[in-house]
Amino acid sequence: MKSSVLLVMGMIILLFAGALLARDNYLVMEENYTIAGNTLLVNANIDVGEVVIGKNNRDDQCHVYIKYTPERAECDIRYNENNNELDVIVDFENWKKWRDDKDNDEDFLQVLIELPANPEIDLNTDFKAGEFELELGDLKIHNLNFSNWAGEARINFHAPNRIKMNEMDINFKVGELDIQNLGNARFEEADINSGIGEMTVDFSGESLEKAMARLDLDIGETTIIIPNHIGTKLRVSKFLFLSEISYPNWFDKRGSYYYSDNYENSSKFLYLMISTGIGELSIKVD
Amino acid sequence: MESSNAKQTLLWLWIIAAILIIMCLLFWGQGYASDDTFYNDLNENERNFILDMEEQYLNADNIKPLRFRDDTRVNRDELIKGSIEVIKGTLVLEGEVEGTVLVIFGDIELEPTALVRGDVISVEGVIWTKSGAQVDGDIIETGDSYKKRYQEYQSTHERRSYIEKRSDRYEDQRYRRDRSGFGYFRKETDREPVYASYNRVDGFTVGLQFPGAGWWERNHHQFAILGKGGYSFASKKSQYQIGLEKWLFIDSRFALGVEYHDMTDTEDRWLLSEMENSLAAGLVKEDFYDFYNRKGYSAYFSQYINRYLFIKAEYRDDDFSNLVNTTEWAVFGKNKEFRANPGALPQGLVDQQLAEVTVPGVEIEPYLNLKSVAGTVQFDTRDRDKNPGQGWLIEAFGERVGMDEECDMQFERYILDIRRYQPLGWDENLNIRLRGGTARGDMPPMYWFDLGGISTLHGYKYKEFTGDRMVLANIEYRLGTSSSDWFFLDDFDVVLFMDSGYAWFSDVETPERVNAWSQEEPETDPLDNDPKDSFESLTWKSMKTNFGVALASSDDDFRINFARRTDIGGKDFIVTFRLQRAF
């Protein structure tokens, strides 16, 4: 009995050791750039992986960390200090066959981009597949163009954007998209397009004054959460009778629009132009 | 006996017309409203408040604004030459307004294509300005809360201390404009530089075109270069039209123009748009137009008498020729064929000209030369060109062909089209069209009137009836169910419709006589046939009628019609799909 327990423990130790040894084959790229100017353009063209974009501890420094296996991935980090442009490129061979398997060495790929708080940032992402987490609160996001083919993505503004956002364009093709605290983004006009899958858009936040968003939904389940202190107006274009929409009693229909109970009394306004596809749209008031 | 029937028929027609007119007058005040009725359903406080706001924000305008109630849309191709006022609804502005935009108790949505020369003011509402929208004046959100509005506003017209949020970003570029003149919606829509079409006689045609006269006017020109040129791949021919129009005066525009052309043309544009016909031909092999080639020139003058009334007089000199099918391609419908394009010219004329060719190997294109003077009078009070909700559109057209002996034919033709768009409530509309056509003398086949099928008598075959006389009545009762939340009604309005009409030849021998093209003197001169006497053969029994129901998207860009004729039993419903309104 004792020997068998020891055998099992030995095998486990070997397995872990093997895994740890294997991870020694990974390559790591890590760069820190001090941003001298007032603006920063970030282009993240990343085929696959676990990608985290967030705020750096240093307000004037940008930190990029990539851990990958070189068998199928080619990575590059470029910073042009003349025009303050940062390019993070991950080119993955045959990315459609990438699997989100952390134990598969060939598929392992982690990217961390930490952005400084001082410069105004134009953030352009072109993601193909993977898990993407963007914690964009307390930064100066001037433009956000987020494009994602497949996977899971979470965009969160846990704290108010430090400046008014000029443009926000989110395109998500297939998978699960979770956008939290969008009211902190300080956007005035946004486009959110979702292809196939599940999407949650939460407009909570303290900084929403007057904003409009176009939401174009194709196939899947969508939940929109609206804070109850915002006067909200909805215009919903349905795709024939294939969309199922549930409105809370908080809304009253007048003409072609739905108005929240507090629309006339509120000093903060949100206007959502929603085009629904096939599936369920649920609108909730928080 | 027949004569007394005809008199009875005419009497009934007059009674029906009188009832329609009385009904329209009774309901005139709804929707786009006259002064007397615009404030009718408002309480005194609201009315005084609105009058006060109008005085404050529209006082500089010497003319009355276009006024609307409830949700309103100004489309991209529409121009309002004065100011616009909307009460208790959202105004979606895609087009252009030369004056002030005032919305009271409602929001304003300025779409990216919106252009406002004056101020944009929302009283008790929110202004949503999308990227690209241009406002030369101020953007003002003003007012207090709805609840306070009723409680605090004093009918003594004391000014309240309104919260007024004024955008100053356009202050420096404030546009100084002439506020005089009347406003009317632009008749010429903006045209893309590249055009394309598909039909069975030309196949795919692609080309370039000049913008419409409206574009030249907006760019402060007093002339317009008009026309287009393109190439048709199946018929392997070039088509073009080039013209120049020069006008005087901005408001009461008087225009002179000339144009020269060599192109495929049709008399069927009143049935459906060229875009819808191209899609039907290219996708499902259904080409609804009948074509002829027209080569020649015209000179014209036109005059806007006022905001609603427009007249045009024209001299035309054209050589017409037949066209035949040159393609059988379509995405679907491999097992069916296009309708043969009917001959536009009298067959006897074609045969005669072909027989005159005696040189072997030489081919000629038989043609018919027509010189004519034509006149058009249009009275248009519709609230918008596309999918109108209220107003009149009356068009009268007359043409006299063959004023000299050189002309191949002598005849006159007249077409009268009367349409009324009548709201019966915020979600109900009654739309009526009466159309009639008649002629003096023998017309060539291309000008014969056709009825049946889409846009005319939905329960009958396409162009089932043909003649040199025509009467048509279409009535639609539209229920705005798409604003509800129930199953498919959430997406469609329900339309109940009735069509009644008939096309016939005043003389049954006319087709044979025209196609025979005999140079012998007829026993009776066709020109002796008076147009107004030609309806004696029309009886109730001869009128073809159908009833139907349609499901239509709210903007009428998709519609399914189910129609059934009433003259014979046992016939199935005829189902048609449309991408636009019948009228």
Side-chain angles (χ1 to χ4, degrees):
Chain A
M1 182 69 181
K2 198 175 177 182
S3 60
S4 62
V5 170
L6 285 172
L7 183 64
V8 171
M9 286 178 66
M11 287 175 69
I12 292 170
I13 289 166
L14 280 173
L15 280 171
F16 271 102
L20 287 169
L21 284 170
R23 301 236 158 155
D24 285 343
N25 294 329
Y26 295 154
L27 294 181
V28 170
M29 294 178 75
E30 187 168 16
E31 301 287 350
N32 284 295
Y33 303 106
T34 301
I35 311 301
N38 295 324
T39 60
L40 174 65
L41 171 61
V42 179
N43 298 312
N45 298 315
I46 298 170
D47 282 354
V48 296
E50 292 174 44
V51 181
V52 176
I53 301 177
K55 180 173 176 269
N56 198 359
N57 290 329
R58 286 191 56 176
D59 288 351
D60 62 343
Q61 201 170 73
C62 188
H63 173 228
V64 183
Y65 171 91
I66 306 176
K67 188 175 181 182
Y68 65 104
T69 53
E71 281 81 5
R72 292 172 64 189
E74 282 184 25
C75 303
D76 194 9
I77 305 169
R78 292 193 293 250
Y79 178 65
N80 183 333
E81 56 187 26
N82 291 327
N83 52 8
N84 291 334
E85 184 173 341
L86 172 69
D87 294 312
V88 180
I89 301 162
V90 174
D91 193 4
F92 196 84
E93 185 188 333
N94 209 352
W95 66 267
K96 288 177 182 170
K97 291 187 177 174
W98 179 82
R99 296 286 175 271
D100 185 12
D101 182 359
K102 293 179 179 60
D103 294 329
N104 184 344
D105 290 340
E106 279 195 359
D107 288 342
F108 184 86
L109 214 154
Q110 283 183 336
V111 180
L112 172 66
I113 303 171
E114 291 179 313
L115 302 170
N118 276 349
E120 293 186 1
I121 298 169
D122 288 352
L123 176 58
N124 301 318
T125 75
D126 185 2
F127 299 150
K128 297 288 194 306
E131 289 178 26
F132 306 94
E133 183 158 351
L134 282 69
E135 288 285 351
L136 300 178
D138 202 25
L139 288 165
K140 290 182 181 173
I141 304 293
H142 180 245
N143 288 313
L144 173 62
N145 286 295
F146 177 86
S147 172
N148 191 168
W149 274 87
E152 291 176 26
R154 183 169 177 270
I155 302 170
N156 186 21
F157 288 84
H158 66 280
N161 196 21
R162 292 190 181 189
I163 57 169
K164 278 191 176 177
M165 193 181 290
N166 178 55
E167 180 187 343
M168 178 157 65
D169 193 350
I170 295 172
N171 271 289
F172 191 80
K173 302 292 183 202
V174 183
E176 193 177 326
L177 173 64
D178 186 6
I179 306 173
Q180 293 294 324
N181 298 303
L182 203 51
N184 280 335
R186 298 184 69 184
F187 71 97
E188 291 183 340
E189 199 172 349
D191 284 282
I192 300 172
N193 300 293
S194 167
I196 303 169
E198 198 174 314
M199 179 168 79
T200 303
V201 185
D202 177 5
F203 287 93
S204 300
E206 300 162 7
S207 310
L208 196 152
E209 297 289 333
K210 183 180 173 187
M212 56 185 151
R214 283 174 286 269
L215 291 99
D216 194 349
L217 322 167
D218 291 339
I219 301 171
E221 188 180 329
T222 305
T223 305
I224 295 172
I225 300 166
I226 300 163
N228 62 8
H229 67 283
I230 304 287
T232 306
K233 176 179 181 177
L234 302 177
R235 186 180 73 201
V236 180
S237 309
K238 284 178 66 177
F239 180 66
L240 300 178
F241 47 85
L242 299 172
S243 313
E244 188 182 332
I245 305 174
S246 59
Y247 302 96
N249 292 331
W250 193 51
F251 283 99
D252 178 31
K253 189 171 188 188
R254 296 199 296 273
S256 309
Y257 302 88
Y258 290 84
Y259 297 88
S260 64
D261 280 353
N262 61 345
Y263 189 73
E264 285 80 23
N265 298 318
S266 180
S267 59
K268 297 181 175 183
F269 299 100
L270 176 65
Y271 176 27
L272 301 180
M273 292 153 277
I274 304 171
S275 299
T276 64
I278 301 169
E280 193 176 328
L281 168 64
S282 174
I283 298 165
K284 296 177 179 171
V285 179
D286 186 18
Chain B
M1 188 66 181
E2 195 66 31
S3 174
S4 77
N5 271 347
K7 284 178 182 171
Q8 204 175 10
T9 303
L10 282 172
L11 179 67
W12 276 109
L13 281 173
W14 277 112
I15 291 170
I16 291 167
I19 291 169
L20 289 176
I21 290 165
I22 291 167
M23 218 166 70
C24 290
L25 291 173
L26 281 173
F27 290 111
W28 173 266
Q30 307 210 20
Y32 173 68
S34 66
D35 275 354
D36 295 338
T37 56
F38 192 57
Y39 310 106
N40 263 359
D41 63 334
L42 304 173
N43 64 40
E44 190 183 350
N45 281 352
E46 283 182 308
R47 194 180 308 137
N48 289 331
F49 177 76
I50 288 168
L51 288 169
D52 202 28
M53 292 299 105
E54 286 175 351
E55 186 187 337
Q56 184 175 345
Y57 292 110
L58 297 175
N59 199 29
D61 289 341
N62 295 324
I63 56 162
K64 288 178 182 172
L66 283 174
R67 286 172 157 163
F68 298 90
R69 296 291 297 267
D70 306 322
D71 293 341
T72 304
R73 175 178 287 270
V74 176
N75 291 319
R76 183 180 177 177
D77 57 357
E78 291 174 337
L79 165 72
I80 293 170
K81 296 209 75 171
S83 296
I84 182 170
E85 180 185 1
V86 175
I87 287 178
K88 288 191 171 181
T90 294
L91 170 65
V92 180
L93 183 63
E94 294 177 336
E96 183 177 344
V97 178
E98 293 202 337
T100 301
V101 174
L102 174 63
V103 176
I104 303 172
F105 307 148
D107 292 357
I108 301 171
E109 286 180 37
L110 300 173
E111 295 291 330
T113 54
L115 171 59
V116 182
R117 299 294 187 187
D119 300 333
V120 176
I121 305 137
S122 172
V123 182
E124 305 285 8
V126 182
I127 300 173
W128 299 99
T129 309
K130 295 172 188 172
S131 302
Q134 187 185 336
V135 179
D136 288 343
D138 291 333
I139 297 176
I140 302 166
E141 286 177 1
T142 180
D144 214 335
S145 70
Y146 264 72
K147 286 177 183 172
K148 287 181 182 175
R149 183 179 79 221
Y150 296 117
Q151 293 163 2
E152 294 179 6
Y153 187 74
Q154 302 299 311
S155 58
T156 54
H157 293 217
E158 289 172 6
R159 181 85 61 223
R160 281 193 309 171
S161 56
Y162 275 94
I163 303 162
E164 184 165 296
K165 214 157 69 182
R166 180 180 287 260
S167 163
D168 58 359
R169 59 187 164 141
Y170 300 109
E171 193 65 40
D172 295 338
Q173 42 178 313
R174 191 181 169 92
Y175 186 75
R176 301 290 174 192
R177 61 193 178 279
D178 178 13
R179 290 174 181 267
S180 64
F182 48 78
Y184 56 85
F185 287 105
R186 178 164 62 238
K187 304 302 174 192
E188 305 95 348
T189 56
D190 278 347
R191 295 196 291 186
E192 299 296 332
V194 178
Y195 77 94
S197 66
Y198 184 76
N199 61 53
R200 66 192 188 282
V201 298
D202 287 329
F204 183 65
T205 300
V206 64
L208 298 172
Q209 62 187 352
F210 286 106
W215 181 89
W216 296 90
E217 185 185 0
R218 286 199 307 286
N219 285 278
H220 311 294
H221 298 290
Q222 291 208 326
F223 65 85
I225 301 170
L226 305 170
K228 59 184 180 179
Y231 183 76
S232 303
F233 290 91
S235 59
K236 296 178 182 170
K237 72 172 186 184
S238 300
Q239 304 191 44
Y240 61 86
Q241 180 184 35
I242 184 72
L244 177 67
E245 184 175 297
K246 163 73 185 165
W247 58 84
L248 305 169
F249 319 122
I250 298 299
D251 292 331
S252 302
R253 191 169 82 175
F254 171 79
L256 289 165
V258 290
E259 59 87 33
Y260 186 79
H261 53 257
D262 183 359
M263 61 186 185
T264 298
D265 208 349
T266 178
E267 292 293 307
D268 295 329
R269 288 202 170 81
W270 69 285
L271 298 171
L272 73 168
S273 69
E274 191 163 342
M275 174 62 75
E276 188 178 6
N277 192 64
S278 294
L279 287 172
L283 289 176
V284 294
K285 207 177 268 191
E286 291 286 351
D287 191 341
F288 296 99
Y289 285 175
D290 290 335
F291 298 97
Y292 51 79
N293 195 78
R294 192 157 70 92
K295 182 179 181 183
Y297 70 93
S298 69
Y300 60 89
F301 75 84
S302 65
Q303 173 75 58
Y304 278 94
I305 305 295
N306 59 31
R307 176 171 154 182
Y308 308 112
L309 190 60
F310 169 80
I311 60 170
K312 183 178 182 181
E314 198 172 358
Y315 175 77
R316 300 172 174 178
D317 186 344
D318 282 307
D319 289 342
F320 295 88
S321 55
N322 286 337
L323 293 173
V324 296
N325 293 12
T326 59
T327 181
E328 284 295 333
W329 181 89
V331 176
F332 303 106
K334 283 184 180 173
N335 296 324
K336 68 177 182 181
E337 294 180 347
F338 279 119
R339 284 185 311 123
N341 189 53
L345 278 52
Q347 188 56 45
L349 173 70
V350 175
D351 295 340
Q352 180 186 312
Q353 291 189 12
L354 290 175
E356 286 171 359
V357 179
T358 54
V359 183
V362 174
E363 291 184 6
I364 65 153
E365 187 69 52
Y367 69 94
L368 171 70
N369 177 261
L370 298 180
K371 296 181 179 69
S372 67
V373 287
T376 304
V377 179
Q378 186 187 71
F379 178 69
D380 187 355
T381 67
R382 295 175 299 168
D383 51 359
R384 60 182 68 89
D385 288 358
K386 189 184 175 191
N387 302 330
Q390 171 141 15
W392 291 94
L393 175 63
I394 301 173
E395 282 182 320
F397 171 81
E399 184 176 22
R400 186 177 177 194
V401 180
M403 291 158 298
D404 56 46
E405 293 297 320
E406 290 178 12
C407 195
D408 292 333
M409 297 184 82
Q410 285 86 39
F411 62 89
E412 295 167 13
R413 61 180 183 135
Y414 304 95
I415 300 169
L416 178 64
D417 193 308
I418 303 172
R419 303 176 191 191
R420 173 64 191 171
Y421 302 92
Q422 181 58 54
L424 302 177
W426 71 273
D427 55 352
E428 293 170 72
N429 238 80
L430 183 69
N431 302 331
I432 301 165
R433 174 175 69 180
L434 302 173
R435 187 178 174 92
T438 187
R440 182 201 300 274
D442 289 339
M443 296 189 293
M446 64 191 178
Y447 285 157
W448 291 346
F449 305 119
D450 299 304
L451 287 184
I454 61 163
S455 294
T456 58
L457 302 169
H458 291 85
Y460 293 81
K461 289 179 189 169
Y462 188 63
K463 295 195 173 183
E464 189 171 339
F465 310 105
T466 298
D468 58 6
R469 304 288 185 270
M470 170 187 69
V471 290
L472 174 67
N474 304 103
I475 300 175
E476 283 189 355
Y477 176 43
R478 190 183 190 96
L479 302 158
T481 50
S482 61
S483 57
S484 62
D485 284 330
W486 188 80
F487 195 38
F488 64 88
L489 287 186
D490 198 5
D491 302 289
F492 292 109
D493 287 346
V494 174
V495 184
L496 308 174
F497 62 86
M498 188 198 82
D499 311 311
S500 186
Y502 189 49
W504 74 102
F505 286 101
S506 56
D507 179 355
V508 291
E509 294 177 355
T510 299
E512 191 181 338
R513 184 172 63 243
V514 169
N515 279 315
W517 196 249
S518 171
Q519 299 304 306
E520 294 174 12
E521 281 290 320
E523 289 178 13
T524 57
D525 187 351
L527 288 171
D528 291 341
N529 183 9
D530 195 317
K532 71 176 185 300
D533 295 335
S534 61
F535 290 83
E536 59 198 19
S537 60
L538 182 68
T539 64
W540 278 119
K541 204 174 177 182
S542 59
M543 295 285 278
K544 306 299 177 188
T545 303
N546 65 256
F547 292 90
V549 62
L551 295 175
S553 60
S554 56
D555 51 3
D556 262 304
D557 55 5
F558 179 78
R559 175 168 165 156
I560 311 172
N561 299 299
F562 303 88
R564 191 175 186 279
R565 57 196 289 180
T566 59
D567 55 343
I568 49 175
K571 281 281 177 183
D572 293 333
F573 280 90
I574 289 184
V575 182
T576 49
F577 296 87
R578 295 299 306 275
L579 302 179
Q580 66 177 81
R581 277 192 192 182
F583 65 95

